[in-house]
Amino acid sequence: MTKKETAQILEILKKAYPNFYKGFSKEDAKDAIELWAMMFEDEDVFTVANAVKAHIAMDEKGFPPVIGQIKSKIQALSRKSIMTEFEAWEKVKNAVRNSLYNSGEEYNKLPENIQKLIGSPLTLREWAMLDVLELDTVVQSNFMRSYRARVEYEKEYLAMPKSVREFIEEISESINSEKKQKESMKFMNEFLGLNQTME
């Protein structure tokens, strides 16, 4: 969203909440435009306008929205329906039923976000060997808690401006690269140590 478009959005809010914006100076308005433009830099004006309108239509308290409220509205308006933790567990449980011999095939049928939580087909196979009671209590509880946390994380992550997401990805890549280097150095040191003892 450009600064000009952001100004139009804030003008809508000013009309909807005239008492709140009564004492706003030109400097205050400029600062608000800068902040909103930065926070919605990767959103189109149509999406933000619809989220603002939805907020105004449902507002019962009479206060203008903060940025986080509009981000949540955008997610609610644009998001496909997200599987509940119970629906996700049913998919996993169905996969487990056939995973003693076909874990790879069953794993590949699962949605990507569930695959990431499970980790590998081997986990499905291990779960298939468990007692039904343990699967339906301990494993189910742990999976559903992890799934809830993952959905919440993804929701927060997607609400962040693109520049912040890119920064997080850079840090993650840097950390992963550093870990790989340390593992590689450890392996080489152990290998060299082995070679020296063999000589």
Side-chain angles (χ1 to χ4, degrees):
M1 196 165 67
T2 65
K3 287 182 184 177
K4 184 178 179 183
E5 291 167 337
T6 303
Q8 292 168 340
I9 296 293
L10 291 175
E11 194 59 37
I12 293 169
L13 289 172
K14 187 177 176 185
K15 287 177 183 167
Y17 302 97
N19 290 336
F20 182 82
Y21 291 100
K22 222 183 256 181
F24 251 50
S25 67
K26 285 187 179 184
E27 192 62 36
D28 292 335
K30 184 183 169 198
D31 290 345
I33 290 168
E34 290 279 335
L35 178 62
W36 279 63
M38 178 180 64
M39 295 305 292
F40 293 99
E41 64 187 355
D42 48 332
E43 301 288 351
D44 65 272
V45 67
F46 181 73
T47 303
V48 177
N50 281 322
V52 166
K53 289 176 192 174
H55 176 85
I56 292 168
M58 301 302 292
D59 178 37
E60 295 177 359
K61 295 181 180 175
F63 294 104
V66 294
I67 290 166
Q69 289 173 300
I70 298 303
K71 290 273 188 182
S72 290
K73 277 285 188 238
I74 288 171
Q75 285 184 353
L77 295 172
S78 63
R79 168 175 64 207
K80 299 173 202 158
S81 74
I82 293 176
M83 250 186 295
T84 66
E85 60 207 61
F86 295 102
E87 292 167 332
W89 174 247
E90 278 305 307
K91 285 193 178 293
V92 171
K93 195 171 175 183
N94 287 334
V96 168
R97 286 188 184 115
N98 194 27
S99 287
L100 202 53
Y101 301 105
N102 300 311
S103 59
E105 192 178 307
E106 292 298 325
Y107 180 81
N108 291 333
K109 288 181 193 174
L110 292 169
E112 189 180 339
N113 62 340
I114 294 177
Q115 286 179 353
K116 285 180 183 175
L117 274 179
I118 292 173
S120 76
L122 181 61
T123 304
L124 285 178
R125 189 168 186 283
E126 289 170 356
W127 288 352
M129 291 187 274
L130 292 175
D131 176 71
V132 176
L133 186 61
E134 186 177 355
L135 182 70
D136 286 340
T137 54
V138 178
V139 175
Q140 176 186 0
S141 172
N142 289 336
F143 173 83
M144 289 170 68
R145 186 173 47 251
S146 297
Y147 182 80
R148 255 192 325 268
R150 181 74 189 186
V151 167
E152 192 58 36
Y153 168 77
E154 286 174 2
K155 188 173 119 180
E156 289 175 9
Y157 183 77
L158 291 173
M160 294 177 192
K162 187 179 177 185
S163 58
V164 175
R165 291 194 309 262
E166 287 170 352
F167 176 71
I168 290 169
E169 286 167 17
E170 281 178 30
I171 289 173
S172 284
E173 285 174 20
S174 173
I175 289 169
N176 288 338
S177 175
E178 204 174 293
K179 275 184 184 175
K180 284 179 185 173
Q181 281 180 336
K182 284 181 182 176
E183 286 170 9
S184 178
M185 289 297 291
K186 182 180 176 188
F187 173 77
M188 288 303 292
N189 287 337
E190 287 172 359
F191 180 74
L192 289 171
L194 271 174
N195 278 350
Q196 288 170 0
T197 56
M198 289 171 67
E199 288 173 0

